[in-house]
Amino acid sequence: MHGHGTSARTADAQRASGARASRAAKAAPASGTAARTASADEVTRLKARVRELASELTRTQEATRRRVAQELHDSLGAEVTAARFALANVETWLPADAPPQCTTALETAQRSLDAVTEAAQQAVTELHAPTLDKGIVCALSHWINTFAARTGLRMSFVCAADARLMRLSADASLAVFRVAQEALNNVAKHARASGADMRIEATAHHLSIVVSDDGIGIPPHAGQDERQFGLAGMRARCNAFDGELQVGASDGDASGTTVHARFEWKALMGNASRPRARRTAIRL
């Protein structure tokens, strides 16, 4: 009897141990799934926070641009006008036997004021938000033509014929425009290039801007201070729409730099429906 009772208790213990092991085995996958879900939720939350901060940064940048443009237009314009009147008065008061160097100096001053006025007007134009009523493609095409005429750079612009480009919101269009604008301004300021090519590419999930130049290539220190090349602002605009920015040497043996800015269509379009992209392209 004693042996039989011991065997029964041993069997009961083994069954209980097996049940606990079974429950633990069932709980382990559930625990792992919960951990993965929590991790995925945290990643989603962090991505949303990055988008929020990037959007706030770009809004601040645009507000600063408007403020600086207004200050240039008002204050600098008034000062230049006052200087022109003063020079005109000096020219009027000059005696007939004044040395020719006086007239030459006045003419030099006038040319300097003309240069300052032109530079200020160009700066105000660059700082103001572009007119996007006719869409991002039209705005970029117009700006690139003006840019090429002003800088003397050879330019080409190829854009994917995608209907979604015409339905971008004002914020999305402005982000795309500013990234393209800054990339080309960097070419004019730093690349010592003779030409640059811009492409707008569209896939099912992403809109990309690719700018390549034939200049001296990206400086080794470019990554140390992104503010000098406007890369921080460009990166923030990409991040605001779940995208990324890559800057590096051009492919192949050619010299130069290539900027690749990518935006996610889903973020650009919000909740708007997204028809399938067409694979043709238009050249402007």
Side-chain angles (χ1 to χ4, degrees):
M1 292 293 292
H2 179 73
H4 177 73
T6 301
S7 298
R9 286 194 296 272
T10 301
D12 290 343
Q14 290 175 343
R15 284 194 295 271
S17 176
R20 286 194 298 271
S22 177
R23 288 194 298 270
K26 291 178 180 179
S31 177
T33 300
R36 287 192 294 272
T37 300
S39 178
D41 289 344
E42 181 66 11
V43 169
T44 300
R45 186 187 68 79
L46 290 174
K47 285 184 176 180
R49 183 57 177 160
V50 168
R51 289 195 301 271
E52 180 183 344
L53 291 174
S55 297
E56 184 176 343
L57 175 60
T58 55
R59 285 193 297 270
T60 301
Q61 288 177 331
E62 287 301 321
T64 302
R65 283 173 174 267
R66 288 192 297 271
R67 197 160 52 246
V68 172
Q70 192 64 45
E71 189 68 21
L72 281 174
H73 181 272
D74 295 344
S75 300
L76 185 59
E79 294 297 331
V80 168
T81 299
R84 289 187 186 280
F85 277 115
L87 288 176
N89 287 335
V90 170
E91 188 174 11
T92 301
W93 296 332
L94 280 178
D97 59 348
Q101 291 87 342
C102 293
T103 302
T104 302
L106 287 173
E107 292 174 349
T108 301
Q110 286 286 3
R111 285 196 298 271
S112 295
L113 285 177
D114 291 340
V116 168
T117 300
E118 183 178 355
Q121 290 174 343
Q122 182 59 45
V124 169
T125 300
E126 294 283 315
L127 289 168
H128 272 304
T131 301
L132 297 167
D133 296 344
K134 297 181 179 180
I136 182 63
V137 177
C138 184
L140 273 177
S141 179
H142 174 75
W143 188 84
I144 288 172
N145 287 336
T146 303
F147 172 83
R150 174 167 53 88
T151 61
L153 288 171
R154 171 198 53 78
M155 284 294 309
S156 70
F157 177 38
V158 178
C159 180
D162 193 304
R164 291 172 290 186
L165 287 167
M166 294 300 297
R167 302 204 314 276
L168 293 178
S169 67
D171 287 343
S173 294
L174 184 58
V176 173
F177 181 92
R178 289 300 193 202
V179 169
Q181 182 184 47
E182 190 62 43
L184 287 179
N185 279 335
N186 277 337
V187 174
K189 293 176 184 176
H190 308 293
R192 302 181 198 171
S194 62
D197 303 310
M198 178 183 289
R199 303 192 313 275
I200 294 183
E201 301 174 346
T203 65
H205 300 291
H206 295 99
L207 170 68
S208 297
I209 299 174
V210 183
V211 177
S212 300
D213 65 66
D214 59 359
I216 59 175
I218 186 169
H221 62 279
Q224 298 175 11
D225 186 2
E226 290 193 335
R227 293 169 298 178
Q228 180 181 358
F229 300 94
L231 299 182
M234 296 166 69
R235 201 178 304 281
R237 293 182 189 278
C238 291
N239 289 339
F241 294 93
D242 289 346
E244 60 182 2
L245 179 74
Q246 295 179 346
V247 182
S250 297
D251 296 334
D253 297 330
S255 61
T257 302
T258 296
V259 175
H260 190 150
R262 192 173 72 171
F263 306 84
E264 189 177 278
W265 275 118
K266 184 177 179 181
L268 287 171
M269 303 296 292
N271 295 324
S273 60
R274 296 169 297 160
R276 186 175 180 178
R278 288 151 54 198
R279 295 299 180 183
T280 56
I282 53 176
R283 187 176 295 273
L284 302 174

